Amino acid sequence: MAYRAEPPDGGWGWMVVLSAFFQSALVFGVLRSFGVFFVEFVAAFEEPAARVSWIASIGIAVQQFGSPVGSALSTKFGPRPAVMTGGILTALGMLLASFATSLTHLYLSIGLLSGSGWALTFTPTLACLSRYFSRRRSLAMGLALTGVGLSSFAFAPLFQWLLNHYAWRGALLLVSALSLHLVACGALLRPLSLAEDPVVGGPGAQITSLLRHGPFLRYTVALTLINTGYFIPYVHLVAHLRDLGWDPLPAAFLLSVAAISDLVGRVASGWLGDAVPGPVARLLMLWTTLTGVILALYPVAEAPTGLVALTMAYGFTSGALTPVAFSVLPELVGTGKIYCGLGLVQMVESIGGLLGAPLSGKGNKISRWAMAAVFYHGGCRGELI
Amino acid sequence: MSKQVWPYLIHHGGKAAPFKSLPVQEEMMTKYSNLSLESHNISVTAAPFTSLPVQEEMMTKSSNLSLESHSISMTAAPFTSLPVQEEMMTKSSNLSLESHSISMTEHSNMPVEKNITLERPSNVELICQFTPSGDLNSVNVTWKKGDKLLEGNYLVNATGGILYTQHRVAVINSKQMGSYSCFFGEKKQQRGTFNLKVPEINGQNKPLITYLGDSVVLMCKCQDCLPLNWTWYGGNGSVQVPIGVPVNDKYVISGKHANETRLKITQLSEDDQGTYLCHAIFELGESEGHVKLVVLSYLVPLKVFCAIAAEVVLLVAAILLFEMYTQKKKKPSDDGKEFEQGEQLKLDDSNGIENSGPRHRKNESVGQ
């Protein structure tokens, strides 16, 4: 097997982008649109909405905590087997969920089983993608991550249509079939052997070396802080708008505006990350600072035009920082250790994600936005170091 | 025999004449009316109803159609004068008084309507305001219930250029429900309508999808009302069969609050498909909601699942076969492959100066 000196930056890499696009769509798009199912579960199992929403929380937690496992497996066996297994696990989880008779059944099948499936697919795919690109890495990341935004648009109405025609049991069965496409995406991930691979060794060695790596640790902390603040605006934006007297429909529309600008931000930032020479970390700093500033302005903005402008800007900057955040890592740790590195980062930053939303719930309106801004600034300070 | 009902106010014409001249007015009324006469006895003195039988006699003599006589309850306080009577009416009848009004101008093109939802028996006051362009006094005012002309039970008042007319209805059962209309003018009639209805029941707009052997809960809800009783009817086609009359395990009717009813059906089969009606009974009438139930076999989504799963298997096979095919093309010699890769790298390199960027980056990361 010949080892390439450098990532190909094209060729089969674009097929990997396609695979990553569908993967992020099928993992996060499904997760984000699952709220449509929750309404049905509340009625079917006669449980309060808070308990039903645990399904998604468990799923996300398992996906993020299980990332190191996914990356370890993909380091050892290559991304393809890991992702294909993950796809089968996800589909199996959904399939079993369609037979559910209680909420606990759903916690285990969707939360645990599908969650582990997602853990085995998302991280290895992104890591594989960053191995295939170096010059155009940010652009490739940006394009791949647009899958999340587009699928959130498409899947919510699709799931509602499925629910109307097949009820939740049949709809879960069909979402399981949809998730099977993750296996096909996995098949596209041709293993790539880079020159650094024999040097860095197996997963165990990689993880220990990463944990001793100063910049990596600082980067992880920074991303955790960013992640803590990341979900707060999404959770509270609608409530904030309603407090100001907005109707539900315009408020929902504003969320769509944020989603669109998020999409644009991702691609633009991806392109920018490659076009601008020098370390990508500087761009990450730029976007996080901007996001923090925008969030701090939220309590001040009262007029509708101001809010719309702020939301568009927020969507753009928060979308912009995602591909860059992922691109910084390979530069930090090298493409050889990327699988394990990404896995560890995901795991640690998930703590931030878990804590962020409940923490922000405690404060009042203004303090929430301030908290989010603080987290972002913390993140960017981390980058400075 | 006289019934114990609530007395009405009778006014004829536009004058709020006191009731001292009542007997005369009644006489006048009976002369003009040729439809049903609702006679309302209002005793004008503080005396008890000793004079009642005399008045009743007068009534029966003059009328020539159905007579509904309403006598004042003996337990009620004596009715001394007109304004007091209004009060007395509400006190003795123990019913709430609702007042609804609509206003119109001479040139309003759209018919003015107001929907009034009534759940319990109550006194309803219907007021129409009319702003005429010309002379107030020349406007003719009439009231109709449905298509039936109502004679003489209404007040007409004119202040500040606006004509008011008031009609009071004591709604006690479903017969008093319906549409009441006030008409202004002869040639170009302006019409205002009050629709008295029972509250509406919300069933479910979308059909409920269930599977064979599963169980389902059908729910009907009333927003702000409390029906006296709920009944469920199931029907295939036009025949409505009441459900739950022979109590069995299959159908369980329950309801957590009085304003909703739930029908739980277990062990669903194909025969259970169709539209179910929930009937709410009020004192003033009935109302119903619809719930449509569809029962599917599990095979329906399963077939789609298998189709998609087959498609995925084909995709995976295609991708892996394509890869094996391209690898075979490259395999002829290992050296050849390396050489080819080297060539490819050179081609990439020759793409431009930008390469110093990524190389620079890589060196940085290695240096760290």
Side-chain angles (χ1 to χ4, degrees), chain A residues 265-281:
Chain A
R266 283 176 201 239
V267 183
S269 152
W271 174 85
L272 198 69
D274 294 324
V276 172
V280 186

Side-chain angles (χ1 to χ4, degrees), chain A residues 196 330-334, chain B residues 360-368:
Chain A
E196 306 166 316
E331 295 183 9
L332 270 181
V333 304
Chain B
H360 200 53
R361 282 185 200 157
K362 272 210 88 186
N363 285 337
E364 266 188 24
S365 67
V366 170
Q368 276 173 352

Side-chain angles (χ1 to χ4, degrees), chain A residues 19-30 122 125-126 143-149 151 155 182:
Chain A
S19 164
F21 176 85
F22 283 114
Q23 290 233 13
S24 45
L26 286 170
V27 174
F28 284 105
V30 169
F122 187 66
T125 312
L126 281 191
L143 283 174
L145 290 173
T146 53
V148 184
S151 62
F155 283 172
L182 285 170

Side-chain angles (χ1 to χ4, degrees), chain A residues 1-5 74-75 79 131 191-203 206 334-339, chain B residues 362:
Chain A
M1 206 169 21
Y3 289 98
R4 305 185 73 113
S74 51
T75 318
R131 279 164 65 93
L192 191 67
S193 325
L194 293 178
E196 306 166 316
D197 293 344
V199 181
V200 291
Q206 284 191 29
T335 46
K337 294 188 202 161
I338 187 64
Y339 289 114
Chain B
K362 272 210 88 186

